[in-house]
Amino acid sequence: MDTKRWIEKDVAAMPVKPNLLDYEEARKNFSWEEVGQHFDGLSSGGLNIAHEAIDRHANGALREKTALIWHGKSGERKTFTYGEMKHLTNKFANVVKDLGFEKGERIYMLSPRVPELYIAVMGILKNRSVMCPLFAQFGPEPILQRLQGGDAKGLVTTERLYGKKVAGIVDQVPGLKYIFLIDAKDHRDEKVLSLPKLMEEASEEFTIEPTDPEDMSLLHFTSGTTGKPKGVIHVHKAIYTHWVTGYYVLDFHPDDVFWCTADPGWVTGTSYGIIAPWLHGITNVVDEAEFDAKRWFSILQDEKVNVWYTAPTAVRRLMRLDVDPLKEYDLSNLRLIQSVGEPLNPEAVWWGMEKLKLPIHDNWWQTETGGIMIANYLSQTIRPGSMGRPIPGVEAAIVQRNEDGSATVITEPGKEGDLALKPGWPSMFRGYLHNEEKYKNSFVDGWYISGDLAYRDEDGYFWFVGRADDIIKTSGHMVGPFEVESALMEHPAVAEAGVIGKPDPVAGQIVKAFVSLKKGYEPSEELRRELIAFGRKKLGVAIAPKEIEFMDELPKTRSGKIMRRLLKAQELGLPLGDTSTLEK
Ligand code: ATP
Ligand code: MG
């Protein structure tokens, strides 16, 4: 192993002592029951996310503390204290309660990242209804699919989105009782209502009724990277995981300002863009606008962000722009950067070291796991390219599935297999909505099978290989796209790479790479040949791409994941399948 390429940490030199100092110790002494001691519980009985995230703080010492700093698209800035959030979310809870929304009924969000979105999410949970977030950029078809698929009873949206995307499909969702317009002055009719008006009339007092920790809280659709998005069921108890990962992985300290750049349409934007920071009573930053390097660095600087949670796609964008932030911005408050959603190429980790003087910490999880499962920790050595090690309380393994339905744990370091988790962590999904069969099939011989392939090294670090669907079989070799993509990214011209297996009569499949270039580079035959040679040198002839095609932008999901299945379908002239999450 090339230990020279590891990033060692100097904990003594860190401005704040990390919460996790000794990984093995933290795992050994861990108990999920103890995590429960950080919560109040409801006086009426049970556990409710919104109580623990908002009311618990509003009723105590953090009442006047800023819970939310909001940056509007047009330059506005607003802040809300925990006390204010309590009253606003109570009002929202009363709005839906008074209109007859019940426990378990689904209320959807189709909204830009405005404060009302965050208020509604917590209000819905207080009423014990279920919150289901959608990307505001979705078109009418994906919205309809999901409203129908999740039996929507309510929808919170804006006048513009309603007119453009919802009005035309609403008849096809007969169960939808009410639509709340965030920015409408007056009610339109019996069904389409003005939220400000209802909020004005609603009481600030609300008592959360008994909530079973196992009650459904969120319905989240997966990113649709590998196929049709699945509706994933989560419960209130998931906050145990959010609390623990907030503590150990995001290293939340009481005075922290935290920014998660993910949209709540994607699970990262709810679990960590809303819930985890508020469970810890810290200040959460939200930006309504889309990616913009200057804007982002200004926010990091001006809000004195301490912990930043972002995604590989954003990091690669910054790399592509060739920015040098420390020359222009004071980012001295930033002490931790975490990233999730896709494999984080080693180049991206090193980019952080060079340009931000901080490494980027990769972590792994899925909509199904509800929270971070495998991570790199602030105090621990980073092995760039590795997702890190399982969080305390979670057992992960590489398993081999056998024909007889059993699964064998692979103990041999470096051997690839299915990345699997031992069921039982609190934020584990409790089902795929209306697809019990698929849910059952995710569990094999006592393991949850993630659908990702990985290997484990001798020290227990997990390394992502690829999604099971994306693995390439070429001349007897199994090739994971991540390895090839990461190697190509080491070339100075390459901004992003997406690698697929292209059917070939001799090799079975050949490795083909789609490549987008950094600023200042133009596609040319010469560069194509250079990249092929570069790949061979890095990877060897067997694994290196045989074909390279330049693209301005690779197709991605709204959550920023490269859609290799689309690259493949396009290459083969096949139907594109579900493209509802494609970023257009
Ligand atoms: P779908 O299930 O609809 O195909 P999806 O799997 O992309 O979409 P998500 O639940 O948002 O939907 O994403 C989880 C997946 O993202 C993981 O299974 C993994 O493939 C990928 N992923 C997340 N984090 C990482 C990471 N740190 N390294 C590698 N892959 C990651
Ligand atoms: Mg998935």
Side-chain angles (χ1 to χ4, degrees):
M1 216 176 280
D2 185 4
T3 53
K4 284 202 288 295
R5 298 278 291 167
W6 292 357
I7 298 172
E8 303 292 347
K9 303 293 188 57
D10 181 2
V11 173
M14 290 182 182
V16 178
K17 195 166 109 185
N19 291 328
L20 184 147
L21 289 169
D22 183 331
Y23 175 76
E24 299 301 338
E25 241 351 73
R27 276 186 75 77
K28 209 170 69 206
N29 299 331
F30 185 83
S31 107
W32 284 112
E33 286 72 50
E34 272 175 34
V35 177
Q37 292 169 10
H38 296 284
F39 303 132
D40 263 357
L42 292 174
S43 50
S44 58
L47 183 80
N48 185 293
I49 297 178
H51 174 83
E52 304 304 333
I54 301 290
D55 294 7
R56 182 164 57 101
H57 309 305
N59 297 343
L62 301 183
R63 181 176 185 81
E64 300 304 328
K65 177 159 183 182
T66 303
L68 175 66
I69 299 177
W70 175 76
H71 282 258
K73 257 194 324 222
S74 333
E76 323 86 295
R77 179 183 185 273
K78 282 190 193 162
T79 62
F80 298 83
T81 63
Y82 278 97
E84 286 167 331
M85 285 304 283
K86 177 181 171 182
H87 287 146
L88 290 164
T89 55
N90 277 354
K91 274 174 170 280
F92 191 93
N94 279 316
V95 166
V96 288
K97 187 181 177 201
D98 293 346
L99 287 168
F101 281 92
E102 291 182 7
K103 177 177 156 179
E105 288 190 329
R106 256 83 75 187
I107 303 179
Y108 281 58
M109 303 296 317
L110 177 74
S111 164
R113 290 183 293 278
V114 290
E116 289 81 355
L117 162 62
Y118 298 81
I119 293 163
V121 166
M122 287 293 152
I124 291 168
L125 294 171
K126 283 188 170 179
N127 191 48
R128 302 179 304 163
S129 301
V130 173
M131 196 282 291
C132 179
L134 303 176
F135 280 102
Q137 294 88 347
F138 276 159
E141 191 50 43
I143 295 171
L144 178 63
Q145 232 182 55
R146 288 163 180 76
L147 291 175
Q148 287 177 333
D151 319 306
K153 294 285 190 288
L155 172 69
V156 180
T157 189
T158 62
E159 287 207 289
R160 192 182 68 84
L161 292 172
Y162 176 75
K164 230 172 111 185
K165 303 177 177 189
V166 180
I169 56 165
V170 72
D171 289 349
Q172 295 171 64
V173 197
L176 195 57
K177 295 190 284 194
Y178 293 105
I179 296 170
F180 303 97
L181 299 182
I182 288 173
D183 48 356
K185 269 226 210 72
D186 292 304
H187 301 323
R188 289 204 180 184
D189 51 41
E190 301 278 281
K191 181 167 171 167
V192 184
L193 307 174
S194 152
L195 184 61
K197 203 166 178 168
L198 293 167
M199 287 287 276
E200 206 184 293
E201 293 156 5
S203 156
E204 270 182 13
E205 302 300 322
F206 187 86
T207 306
I208 303 177
E209 291 191 32
T211 311
D212 191 301
E214 286 298 316
D215 280 347
M216 188 168 168
S217 55
L218 306 188
L219 174 68
H220 242 299
F221 286 89
T222 59
S223 290
T225 316
T226 55
K228 193 171 163 16
K230 303 158 281 248
V232 171
I233 296 169
H234 285 292
V235 298
H236 283 265
K237 197 175 179 187
I239 55 173
Y240 277 62
T241 309
H242 300 144
W243 193 94
V244 163
T245 48
Y247 187 74
Y248 283 134
V249 182
L250 298 167
D251 193 53
F252 290 152
H253 283 68
D255 292 329
D256 276 348
V257 176
F258 171 66
W259 184 23
C260 168
T261 54
D263 186 88
W266 175 37
V267 68
T268 306
T270 52
S271 290
Y272 296 97
I274 307 180
I275 299 170
W278 284 349
L279 288 176
H280 283 264
I282 63 167
T283 300
N284 194 25
V285 175
V286 168
D287 180 23
E288 184 189 6
E290 296 307 313
F291 174 89
D292 176 277
K294 287 205 166 91
R295 188 180 166 100
W296 278 26
F297 290 123
S298 302
I299 291 178
L300 288 170
Q301 168 183 270
D302 298 347
E303 299 302 353
K304 301 187 167 52
V305 172
N306 307 107
V307 181
W308 184 30
Y309 198 15
T310 188
T313 180
V315 177
R316 289 194 301 259
R317 267 177 163 168
L318 293 172
M319 290 166 76
R320 187 174 188 172
L321 291 172
D322 204 16
V323 290
D324 224 338
L326 294 186
K327 285 202 178 130
E328 287 174 60
Y329 303 90
D330 171 9
L331 304 183
S332 54
N333 290 288
L334 194 59
R335 63 164 208 277
L336 172 62
I337 309 173
Q338 287 276 359
S339 154
V340 70
E342 273 206 302
L344 184 70
N345 316 86
E347 272 315 287
V349 180
W350 288 106
W351 175 86
M353 285 298 275
E354 190 192 327
K355 301 289 187 179
L356 298 168
K357 301 285 173 252
L358 290 174
I360 298 172
H361 294 71
D362 188 19
N363 58 75
W364 175 94
W365 58 291
Q366 311 178 297
T367 310
E368 288 87 340
T369 70
I372 300 168
M373 296 283 111
I374 297 178
N376 284 283
Y377 307 87
L378 182 55
S379 66
Q380 306 288 302
T381 302
I382 294 182
R383 303 181 176 184
S386 161
M387 308 185 284
R389 289 177 286 176
I391 63 160
V394 163
E395 192 185 337
I398 304 297
V399 307
Q400 180 187 309
R401 278 187 276 174
N402 308 315
E403 305 232 314
D404 63 359
S406 64
T408 317
V409 174
I410 300 176
T411 48
E412 195 184 321
K415 191 157 187 265
E416 291 168 15
D418 283 287
L419 173 56
L421 302 167
K422 194 103 234 121
W425 72 95
S427 65
M428 188 180 90
F429 70 138
R430 302 299 198 265
Y432 285 122
L433 194 75
H434 304 317
N435 201 342
E436 187 60 24
E437 177 86 6
K438 188 168 178 69
Y439 180 65
K440 275 207 199 113
N441 291 340
S442 318
F443 299 89
V444 176
D445 200 7
W447 290 95
Y448 163 67
I449 307 289
S450 69
D452 289 339
L453 301 186
Y455 65 88
R456 197 174 166 272
D457 67 22
E458 55 270 32
D459 302 310
Y461 280 75
F462 284 77
W463 299 72
F464 185 78
V465 172
R467 292 165 183 266
D469 291 8
D470 292 336
I471 295 300
I472 303 160
K473 295 179 193 91
T474 178
S475 306
H477 296 276
M478 300 280 276
V479 179
F482 177 47
E483 182 186 6
V484 181
E485 289 161 8
S486 290
L488 288 173
M489 279 197 58
E490 287 180 40
H491 189 281
V494 176
E496 261 182 333
V499 166
I500 63 160
K502 177 178 168 181
D504 177 85
V506 181
Q509 287 185 317
I510 58 158
V511 178
K512 170 157 187 174
F514 295 83
V515 165
S516 70
L517 298 176
K518 280 196 191 142
K519 220 169 83 180
Y521 291 91
E522 289 299 324
S524 70
E525 184 50 28
E526 199 188 337
L527 181 57
R528 202 182 59 78
R529 270 197 245 120
E530 187 181 317
L531 288 177
I532 289 193
F534 184 80
R536 286 200 177 146
K537 205 168 113 215
K538 291 266 163 204
L539 298 159
V541 204
I543 295 177
K546 299 231 171 358
E547 284 185 24
I548 287 192
E549 189 173 323
F550 295 111
M551 275 184 132
D552 285 345
E553 284 287 344
L554 302 179
K556 294 204 196 88
T557 65
R558 295 248 163 246
S559 47
K561 296 161 193 265
I562 297 172
M563 291 175 97
R564 295 175 191 80
R565 74 177 161 95
L566 280 199
L567 290 171
K568 196 160 178 174
Q570 274 162 358
E571 178 71 29
L572 304 180
L574 294 172
L576 298 183
D578 187 294
T579 53
S580 62
T581 62
L582 182 65
E583 185 186 58
K584 296 203 179 76

PDB file of all heavy atoms in Angstrom, residues 488 491 493-494 515 517 526-536 545 548 550:
ATOM      1  N   LEU A 488      -8.117   8.719 -14.880  1.00  0.00           N
ATOM      2  CA  LEU A 488      -8.211   9.741 -15.938  1.00  0.00           C
ATOM      3  C   LEU A 488      -8.194  11.142 -15.343  1.00  0.00           C
ATOM      4  O   LEU A 488      -7.641  12.085 -15.916  1.00  0.00           O
ATOM      5  CB  LEU A 488      -9.482   9.545 -16.770  1.00  0.00           C
ATOM      6  CG  LEU A 488      -9.465   8.337 -17.709  1.00  0.00           C
ATOM      7  CD1 LEU A 488     -10.838   8.144 -18.342  1.00  0.00           C
ATOM      8  CD2 LEU A 488      -8.402   8.499 -18.802  1.00  0.00           C
ATOM      9  N   HIS A 491      -5.155  13.335 -15.052  1.00  0.00           N
ATOM     10  CA  HIS A 491      -4.627  14.095 -16.192  1.00  0.00           C
ATOM     11  C   HIS A 491      -5.094  15.550 -16.064  1.00  0.00           C
ATOM     12  O   HIS A 491      -6.265  15.795 -15.778  1.00  0.00           O
ATOM     13  CB  HIS A 491      -5.122  13.477 -17.500  1.00  0.00           C
ATOM     14  CG  HIS A 491      -4.453  14.067 -18.700  1.00  0.00           C
ATOM     15  ND1 HIS A 491      -4.820  15.287 -19.213  1.00  0.00           N
ATOM     16  CD2 HIS A 491      -3.423  13.623 -19.466  1.00  0.00           C
ATOM     17  CE1 HIS A 491      -4.042  15.563 -20.253  1.00  0.00           C
ATOM     18  NE2 HIS A 491      -3.192  14.561 -20.431  1.00  0.00           N
ATOM     19  N   ALA A 493      -6.012  17.779 -18.006  1.00  0.00           N
ATOM     20  CA  ALA A 493      -7.082  18.288 -18.869  1.00  0.00           C
ATOM     21  C   ALA A 493      -8.461  17.801 -18.442  1.00  0.00           C
ATOM     22  O   ALA A 493      -9.480  18.351 -18.848  1.00  0.00           O
ATOM     23  CB  ALA A 493      -6.815  17.849 -20.318  1.00  0.00           C
ATOM     24  N   VAL A 494      -8.508  16.753 -17.598  1.00  0.00           N
ATOM     25  CA  VAL A 494      -9.790  16.082 -17.364  1.00  0.00           C
ATOM     26  C   VAL A 494     -10.541  16.682 -16.171  1.00  0.00           C
ATOM     27  O   VAL A 494     -10.010  16.746 -15.066  1.00  0.00           O
ATOM     28  CB  VAL A 494      -9.581  14.563 -17.152  1.00  0.00           C
ATOM     29  CG1 VAL A 494     -10.893  13.872 -16.808  1.00  0.00           C
ATOM     30  CG2 VAL A 494      -8.960  13.949 -18.394  1.00  0.00           C
ATOM     31  N   VAL A 515     -15.500  11.849 -21.374  1.00  0.00           N
ATOM     32  CA  VAL A 515     -14.653  12.776 -20.622  1.00  0.00           C
ATOM     33  C   VAL A 515     -15.072  14.210 -20.894  1.00  0.00           C
ATOM     34  O   VAL A 515     -15.319  14.584 -22.045  1.00  0.00           O
ATOM     35  CB  VAL A 515     -13.170  12.555 -21.053  1.00  0.00           C
ATOM     36  CG1 VAL A 515     -12.302  13.710 -20.608  1.00  0.00           C
ATOM     37  CG2 VAL A 515     -12.651  11.238 -20.511  1.00  0.00           C
ATOM     38  N   LEU A 517     -13.791  18.253 -20.245  1.00  0.00           N
ATOM     39  CA  LEU A 517     -12.475  18.874 -20.060  1.00  0.00           C
ATOM     40  C   LEU A 517     -12.532  20.124 -19.196  1.00  0.00           C
ATOM     41  O   LEU A 517     -13.560  20.785 -19.094  1.00  0.00           O
ATOM     42  CB  LEU A 517     -11.887  19.236 -21.427  1.00  0.00           C
ATOM     43  CG  LEU A 517     -11.651  18.041 -22.359  1.00  0.00           C
ATOM     44  CD1 LEU A 517     -11.172  18.523 -23.723  1.00  0.00           C
ATOM     45  CD2 LEU A 517     -10.645  17.064 -21.756  1.00  0.00           C
ATOM     46  N   GLU A 526      -5.514  14.541 -30.918  1.00  0.00           N
ATOM     47  CA  GLU A 526      -4.246  14.408 -30.206  1.00  0.00           C
ATOM     48  C   GLU A 526      -4.473  14.161 -28.702  1.00  0.00           C
ATOM     49  O   GLU A 526      -3.872  13.282 -28.096  1.00  0.00           O
ATOM     50  CB  GLU A 526      -3.478  15.716 -30.418  1.00  0.00           C
ATOM     51  CG  GLU A 526      -2.013  15.617 -30.156  1.00  0.00           C
ATOM     52  CD  GLU A 526      -1.400  17.011 -30.198  1.00  0.00           C
ATOM     53  OE1 GLU A 526      -1.983  17.919 -30.838  1.00  0.00           O
ATOM     54  OE2 GLU A 526      -0.363  17.195 -29.556  1.00  0.00           O
ATOM     55  N   LEU A 527      -5.385  14.956 -28.140  1.00  0.00           N
ATOM     56  CA  LEU A 527      -5.669  14.808 -26.713  1.00  0.00           C
ATOM     57  C   LEU A 527      -6.309  13.442 -26.437  1.00  0.00           C
ATOM     58  O   LEU A 527      -6.041  12.801 -25.425  1.00  0.00           O
ATOM     59  CB  LEU A 527      -6.586  15.943 -26.231  1.00  0.00           C
ATOM     60  CG  LEU A 527      -6.961  15.930 -24.754  1.00  0.00           C
ATOM     61  CD1 LEU A 527      -5.725  15.940 -23.855  1.00  0.00           C
ATOM     62  CD2 LEU A 527      -7.842  17.134 -24.395  1.00  0.00           C
ATOM     63  N   ARG A 528      -7.149  13.018 -27.359  1.00  0.00           N
ATOM     64  CA  ARG A 528      -7.792  11.712 -27.197  1.00  0.00           C
ATOM     65  C   ARG A 528      -6.731  10.613 -27.107  1.00  0.00           C
ATOM     66  O   ARG A 528      -6.750   9.769 -26.225  1.00  0.00           O
ATOM     67  CB  ARG A 528      -8.743  11.451 -28.365  1.00  0.00           C
ATOM     68  CG  ARG A 528      -9.839  10.424 -28.062  1.00  0.00           C
ATOM     69  CD  ARG A 528     -10.714  10.186 -29.267  1.00  0.00           C
ATOM     70  NE  ARG A 528      -9.920   9.699 -30.394  1.00  0.00           N
ATOM     71  CZ  ARG A 528      -9.502   8.450 -30.519  1.00  0.00           C
ATOM     72  NH1 ARG A 528      -9.825   7.551 -29.627  1.00  0.00           N
ATOM     73  NH2 ARG A 528      -8.772   8.094 -31.545  1.00  0.00           N
ATOM     74  N   ARG A 529      -5.780  10.692 -28.034  1.00  0.00           N
ATOM     75  CA  ARG A 529      -4.711   9.679 -28.033  1.00  0.00           C
ATOM     76  C   ARG A 529      -3.852   9.791 -26.775  1.00  0.00           C
ATOM     77  O   ARG A 529      -3.461   8.809 -26.179  1.00  0.00           O
ATOM     78  CB  ARG A 529      -3.860   9.817 -29.287  1.00  0.00           C
ATOM     79  CG  ARG A 529      -4.444   8.956 -30.397  1.00  0.00           C
ATOM     80  CD  ARG A 529      -3.465   8.724 -31.516  1.00  0.00           C
ATOM     81  NE  ARG A 529      -3.986   9.370 -32.702  1.00  0.00           N
ATOM     82  CZ  ARG A 529      -3.397  10.318 -33.383  1.00  0.00           C
ATOM     83  NH1 ARG A 529      -2.206  10.740 -33.036  1.00  0.00           N
ATOM     84  NH2 ARG A 529      -3.968  10.861 -34.435  1.00  0.00           N
ATOM     85  N   GLU A 530      -3.632  11.024 -26.388  1.00  0.00           N
ATOM     86  CA  GLU A 530      -2.824  11.250 -25.180  1.00  0.00           C
ATOM     87  C   GLU A 530      -3.515  10.622 -23.947  1.00  0.00           C
ATOM     88  O   GLU A 530      -2.874   9.997 -23.112  1.00  0.00           O
ATOM     89  CB  GLU A 530      -2.645  12.758 -24.985  1.00  0.00           C
ATOM     90  CG  GLU A 530      -1.688  13.106 -23.862  1.00  0.00           C
ATOM     91  CD  GLU A 530      -1.557  14.613 -23.698  1.00  0.00           C
ATOM     92  OE1 GLU A 530      -1.457  15.329 -24.727  1.00  0.00           O
ATOM     93  OE2 GLU A 530      -1.585  15.068 -22.538  1.00  0.00           O
ATOM     94  N   LEU A 531      -4.834  10.793 -23.891  1.00  0.00           N
ATOM     95  CA  LEU A 531      -5.569  10.249 -22.737  1.00  0.00           C
ATOM     96  C   LEU A 531      -5.568   8.719 -22.753  1.00  0.00           C
ATOM     97  O   LEU A 531      -5.490   8.080 -21.700  1.00  0.00           O
ATOM     98  CB  LEU A 531      -7.004  10.778 -22.710  1.00  0.00           C
ATOM     99  CG  LEU A 531      -7.152  12.248 -22.318  1.00  0.00           C
ATOM    100  CD1 LEU A 531      -8.616  12.679 -22.396  1.00  0.00           C
ATOM    101  CD2 LEU A 531      -6.605  12.498 -20.911  1.00  0.00           C
ATOM    102  N   ILE A 532      -5.656   8.153 -23.931  1.00  0.00           N
ATOM    103  CA  ILE A 532      -5.611   6.690 -24.016  1.00  0.00           C
ATOM    104  C   ILE A 532      -4.246   6.195 -23.529  1.00  0.00           C
ATOM    105  O   ILE A 532      -4.156   5.265 -22.714  1.00  0.00           O
ATOM    106  CB  ILE A 532      -5.928   6.208 -25.456  1.00  0.00           C
ATOM    107  CG1 ILE A 532      -7.419   6.455 -25.704  1.00  0.00           C
ATOM    108  CG2 ILE A 532      -5.552   4.737 -25.642  1.00  0.00           C
ATOM    109  CD1 ILE A 532      -8.036   5.808 -26.890  1.00  0.00           C
ATOM    110  N   ALA A 533      -3.209   6.872 -23.966  1.00  0.00           N
ATOM    111  CA  ALA A 533      -1.859   6.483 -23.534  1.00  0.00           C
ATOM    112  C   ALA A 533      -1.700   6.687 -22.029  1.00  0.00           C
ATOM    113  O   ALA A 533      -1.135   5.849 -21.314  1.00  0.00           O
ATOM    114  CB  ALA A 533      -0.825   7.304 -24.301  1.00  0.00           C
ATOM    115  N   PHE A 534      -2.251   7.788 -21.541  1.00  0.00           N
ATOM    116  CA  PHE A 534      -2.187   8.104 -20.109  1.00  0.00           C
ATOM    117  C   PHE A 534      -2.882   7.004 -19.288  1.00  0.00           C
ATOM    118  O   PHE A 534      -2.360   6.529 -18.284  1.00  0.00           O
ATOM    119  CB  PHE A 534      -2.869   9.464 -19.895  1.00  0.00           C
ATOM    120  CG  PHE A 534      -2.804   9.974 -18.496  1.00  0.00           C
ATOM    121  CD1 PHE A 534      -1.661  10.593 -18.017  1.00  0.00           C
ATOM    122  CD2 PHE A 534      -3.899   9.848 -17.643  1.00  0.00           C
ATOM    123  CE1 PHE A 534      -1.608  11.089 -16.722  1.00  0.00           C
ATOM    124  CE2 PHE A 534      -3.862  10.339 -16.351  1.00  0.00           C
ATOM    125  CZ  PHE A 534      -2.708  10.959 -15.887  1.00  0.00           C
ATOM    126  N   GLY A 535      -4.048   6.606 -19.767  1.00  0.00           N
ATOM    127  CA  GLY A 535      -4.803   5.543 -19.095  1.00  0.00           C
ATOM    128  C   GLY A 535      -4.002   4.253 -19.050  1.00  0.00           C
ATOM    129  O   GLY A 535      -3.943   3.566 -18.025  1.00  0.00           O
ATOM    130  N   ARG A 536      -3.377   3.923 -20.169  1.00  0.00           N
ATOM    131  CA  ARG A 536      -2.592   2.673 -20.214  1.00  0.00           C
ATOM    132  C   ARG A 536      -1.455   2.696 -19.225  1.00  0.00           C
ATOM    133  O   ARG A 536      -1.164   1.709 -18.557  1.00  0.00           O
ATOM    134  CB  ARG A 536      -2.017   2.495 -21.611  1.00  0.00           C
ATOM    135  CG  ARG A 536      -3.092   2.098 -22.561  1.00  0.00           C
ATOM    136  CD  ARG A 536      -2.518   1.449 -23.782  1.00  0.00           C
ATOM    137  NE  ARG A 536      -3.639   1.046 -24.601  1.00  0.00           N
ATOM    138  CZ  ARG A 536      -3.649   1.034 -25.905  1.00  0.00           C
ATOM    139  NH1 ARG A 536      -2.568   1.376 -26.569  1.00  0.00           N
ATOM    140  NH2 ARG A 536      -4.729   0.662 -26.556  1.00  0.00           N
ATOM    141  N   PRO A 545      -9.110   2.523 -20.664  1.00  0.00           N
ATOM    142  CA  PRO A 545     -10.149   2.676 -21.694  1.00  0.00           C
ATOM    143  C   PRO A 545      -9.565   2.508 -23.097  1.00  0.00           C
ATOM    144  O   PRO A 545      -8.491   3.009 -23.385  1.00  0.00           O
ATOM    145  CB  PRO A 545     -10.653   4.107 -21.485  1.00  0.00           C
ATOM    146  CG  PRO A 545      -9.794   4.743 -20.483  1.00  0.00           C
ATOM    147  CD  PRO A 545      -8.897   3.728 -19.870  1.00  0.00           C
ATOM    148  N   ILE A 548     -12.311   6.735 -26.075  1.00  0.00           N
ATOM    149  CA  ILE A 548     -12.582   7.945 -25.294  1.00  0.00           C
ATOM    150  C   ILE A 548     -13.429   8.876 -26.139  1.00  0.00           C
ATOM    151  O   ILE A 548     -13.170   9.063 -27.328  1.00  0.00           O
ATOM    152  CB  ILE A 548     -11.265   8.617 -24.866  1.00  0.00           C
ATOM    153  CG1 ILE A 548     -10.632   7.759 -23.759  1.00  0.00           C
ATOM    154  CG2 ILE A 548     -11.500  10.059 -24.391  1.00  0.00           C
ATOM    155  CD1 ILE A 548      -9.508   8.333 -23.005  1.00  0.00           C
ATOM    156  N   PHE A 550     -15.298  12.768 -26.031  1.00  0.00           N
ATOM    157  CA  PHE A 550     -15.410  14.027 -25.285  1.00  0.00           C
ATOM    158  C   PHE A 550     -16.864  14.465 -25.215  1.00  0.00           C
ATOM    159  O   PHE A 550     -17.624  14.298 -26.158  1.00  0.00           O
ATOM    160  CB  PHE A 550     -14.576  15.116 -25.963  1.00  0.00           C
ATOM    161  CG  PHE A 550     -13.099  14.832 -25.937  1.00  0.00           C
ATOM    162  CD1 PHE A 550     -12.407  14.514 -27.102  1.00  0.00           C
ATOM    163  CD2 PHE A 550     -12.406  14.863 -24.733  1.00  0.00           C
ATOM    164  CE1 PHE A 550     -11.051  14.243 -27.081  1.00  0.00           C
ATOM    165  CE2 PHE A 550     -11.042  14.589 -24.696  1.00  0.00           C
ATOM    166  CZ  PHE A 550     -10.361  14.280 -25.869  1.00  0.00           C
TER     167      PHE A 550
END
